[in-house]
Amino acid sequence: MDSRISFSSDYTKGAHPQILQRLQETNFEQIDGYGTDGYCKSAADKIKKICGQPNADVFFLVGGTQTNQTIIDMLLQPYEGVVAAETGHVAAHEAGAIEHAGHKVLTIPYYGEEKDTKKYGDNIGKIAAPDLKKLLEKFYGDANHEHMVFPGAVYISHPTEYGTLYTKAELTAISEVCKEYKIPLFLDGARLGYGLMSKRTDVTIEDIARLVDVFYIGGTKVGALFGEAVVFTKGVTTKHPIPVIKQHGALLAKGWLLGLQFDTLFTDDLYFKISENAIEMAELLRKGLEEKGYKIFLDSPTNQQFIVVEDEKLKELDKNIRYGFWEKYDDSHTVIRLATDWATTKEDVEKLMSFL
């Protein structure tokens, strides 16, 4: 067993105790499968209410990559691709899952050769509406576009891979471009709770539900044992969604395991309360890093914090800390990620700081 303290990711722990308790209490119930049970219905009703979308369609899938692949496949025709930032999860860290399903990822660059994070600031990892419109204008302005991969949907994540957040104005502008070109907007919410509870956001879950066509509420990284809740805000457009979900191996036979977890997370605002804990611990971590003189790679307002560390120093830290490798900064420095989560304690942060 690895005894090092772990801040490598926000999915290294199991599930919130209230979820485990309910799973134990219902363990011997005989429950219908494939999401047709009462727990899934109850969870879906709570999610629709909190999103302000009573006519939304809600589906419960198992994991993030599977969810991204399934949703994108549901949105696109065979000749279409999905537009994403070049740092977007579907472009960078999905092992070609989207391409494996037959759809190209059409990327928009986010910064130049130099990693000048101060220059790009809060825009790192995000798509800007003018850049999106430029891509679409260029595509339809090409006389040969009928022979090319059509941009059939737009993918964004909130928070982004770099922990940055879209503002309400930015989301609105992107949504308007998508409406102009009649393509759906899909928001990856694997860490949605941490974005919504950031002290530097003006975006609510109701805003997201109003501005996008489909998004998902991440459970795997926010208190659930596993699971993502997919919300088609204006109703699912796929004629037969269940067969498509099943083709992707995403239809869990014991679907009530997913419904029960989200029903628990959306009872008494548990999802938001535990997400807020991660933000408070990240702020404590950020303060400690600054006091110790670590170089902050970028200004992340969420639970992921990125610092630049000398490679020689990393060898020492590696003895006591599990961290996430992010990217090489230069020949002698590396950017690492330190992530808090729903269960991180003040004592965890203090222990980490003692090693740093």
Side-chain angles (χ1 to χ4, degrees), residues 10 68 85 87-90 122 124-127 154-172 174 185-209 211-212 214-219 221-222 228 271-272 275 279 300-304:
D10 39 22
N68 284 332
T87 57
H89 199 68
V90 295
D122 292 342
I124 285 184
K126 298 193 292 187
I127 286 177
V154 174
Y155 164 97
I156 58 175
S157 57
H158 184 83
T160 70
E161 290 295 280
Y162 283 83
T164 52
L165 296 171
Y166 287 91
T167 65
K168 188 187 299 185
E170 289 169 336
L171 277 180
T172 300
I174 293 171
L185 177 58
F186 163 37
L187 185 144
D188 176 335
R191 295 183 171 92
L192 185 61
Y194 304 139
L196 293 172
M197 299 312 296
S198 170
K199 293 177 172 56
R200 288 187 273 164
T201 187
D202 65 348
V203 174
T204 66
I205 196 167
E206 293 95 337
D207 293 327
I208 290 171
L211 293 170
V212 310
V214 56
F215 71 102
Y216 71 92
I217 302 168
K221 296 180 173 71
V222 193
E228 324 296 325
Y271 186 79
F272 302 106
S275 296
I279 298 302
S300 168
T302 56
N303 71 310
Q304 301 179 85

Side-chain angles (χ1 to χ4, degrees), residues 91-107:
H93 293 138
E94 295 282 38
I98 310 306
E99 292 85 349
H100 185 68
H103 301 289
K104 187 175 183 178
V105 180
L106 307 166
T107 58

